[in-house]
Amino acid sequence: QVQLVQSGGEVKKPGASVKVSCKASGYTFTSFGITWVRQAPGQGLEWMGWIAGYNTNAHYAQKFQGRVAMTTDISTTTAYMELRSLRSDDTAVYFCARGSGYELLDYWGQGTLVTVSS
Amino acid sequence: EIVLTQSPGTLSLSPGERASLSCRASQSMSGSSLAWYQQRAGQAPRLLMYGPSSRPSGIPDRFSGSASGADFTLTISRLEPEDFAVYYCHQFGSSPPTFGQGTKVEIK
């Protein structure tokens, strides 16, 4: 069965970086993209960007351009999302989901809480 | 970008009642590029409906979807206790993909 298992919660100080992982299993990793979505406390879903499973081609929401990097490791079928220069308003649960920017998101990771606090 | 406006923000209903959730797009779009997700408290979103009236396997047939122009509707024919959750629509036909702000279905 398809599974996306994310890394554990993180606490970071403002200005730091965080890297969240998303380990995929149960399907051919290179056949699907991975999308990252975040959800601030009590808020809705915010699309951050996506990366193709078969190469390094990533597409980011304008809001995060220059501050986010999405990568994949095909050998371990793991996707990563790194967010730099963290601010308090980056405190959120970060989800990975299977699907590209042109597709529905049919499987989701369990989410990773990133807390930014001094 | 396409803005999706969901209404109402909150729907207060009793188990067994019918729920009708709306998602309106700011510009014309294909229904084949719209999906609905259910998010229960403390959980990740789950794909509920797509295309706009197709259900993934395992989704009960009390859930249905429809489209009329730029208006999309998710209907729950008879609410079960596990249906009380937040529902989001999502368009992926135009870049960037966007989500509606969500409709919370709560127990009255």
Side-chain angles (χ1 to χ4, degrees):
Chain A
Q1 71 283 20
V2 175
Q3 280 193 303
L4 299 174
V5 179
Q6 298 184 224
S7 49
E10 303 259 15
V11 180
K12 296 291 183 181
K13 293 193 181 305
S17 298
V18 69
K19 192 170 187 177
V20 179
S21 68
C22 172
K23 166 73 174 172
S25 61
Y27 71 97
T28 301
F29 184 72
T30 52
S31 295
F32 294 85
I34 293 286
T35 289
W36 290 89
V37 174
R38 77 177 186 180
Q39 185 171 40
Q43 302 302 306
L45 303 174
E46 182 177 27
W47 186 84
M48 297 183 68
W50 72 279
I51 185 166
Y54 57 87
N55 65 20
T56 58
N57 194 17
H59 308 262
Y60 307 131
Q62 189 169 6
K63 174 177 180 177
F64 300 102
Q65 287 276 2
R67 210 161 64 92
V68 70
M70 296 176 187
T71 57
T72 60
D73 183 336
I74 294 174
S75 68
T76 60
T77 64
T78 302
Y80 298 91
M81 187 283 300
E82 182 178 28
L83 190 60
R84 301 181 286 269
S85 302
L86 289 167
R87 308 184 288 255
S88 58
D89 62 359
D90 290 318
T91 293
V93 176
Y94 290 75
F95 294 101
C96 62
R98 191 179 79 163
S100 74
Y102 309 103
E103 298 172 319
L104 52 83
L105 305 174
D106 57 357
Y107 292 92
W108 293 66
Q110 83 277 18
T112 296
L113 175 61
V114 175
T115 302
V116 183
S117 174
S118 54
Chain B
E1 70 177 46
I2 294 180
V3 175
L4 299 178
T5 301
Q6 292 187 241
S7 61
T10 301
L11 204 47
S12 298
L13 296 168
S14 300
E17 288 194 295
R18 181 184 184 91
S20 184
L21 287 66
S22 172
C23 174
R24 174 168 290 179
S26 60
Q27 55 189 271
S28 178
M29 57 168 282
S30 169
S32 61
S33 301
L34 187 107
W36 291 90
Y37 303 89
Q38 176 193 65
Q39 187 177 34
R40 295 172 176 149
Q43 296 186 15
R46 174 176 76 142
L47 178 65
L48 195 69
M49 190 75 56
Y50 61 95
S53 56
S54 298
R55 286 187 309 275
S57 63
I59 301 299
D61 61 6
R62 64 179 179 275
F63 291 94
S64 62
S66 63
S68 176
D71 292 325
F72 302 89
T73 301
L74 175 70
T75 301
I76 310 171
S77 59
R78 289 186 313 116
L79 284 163
E80 297 288 340
E82 62 268 27
D83 300 337
F84 291 92
V86 181
Y87 294 83
Y88 294 94
C89 55
H90 163 223
Q91 71 79 22
F92 45 90
S94 174
S95 187
T98 49
F99 291 94
Q101 81 279 19
T103 290
K104 181 179 182 179
V105 179
E106 66 176 22
I107 299 176
K108 185 175 181 180

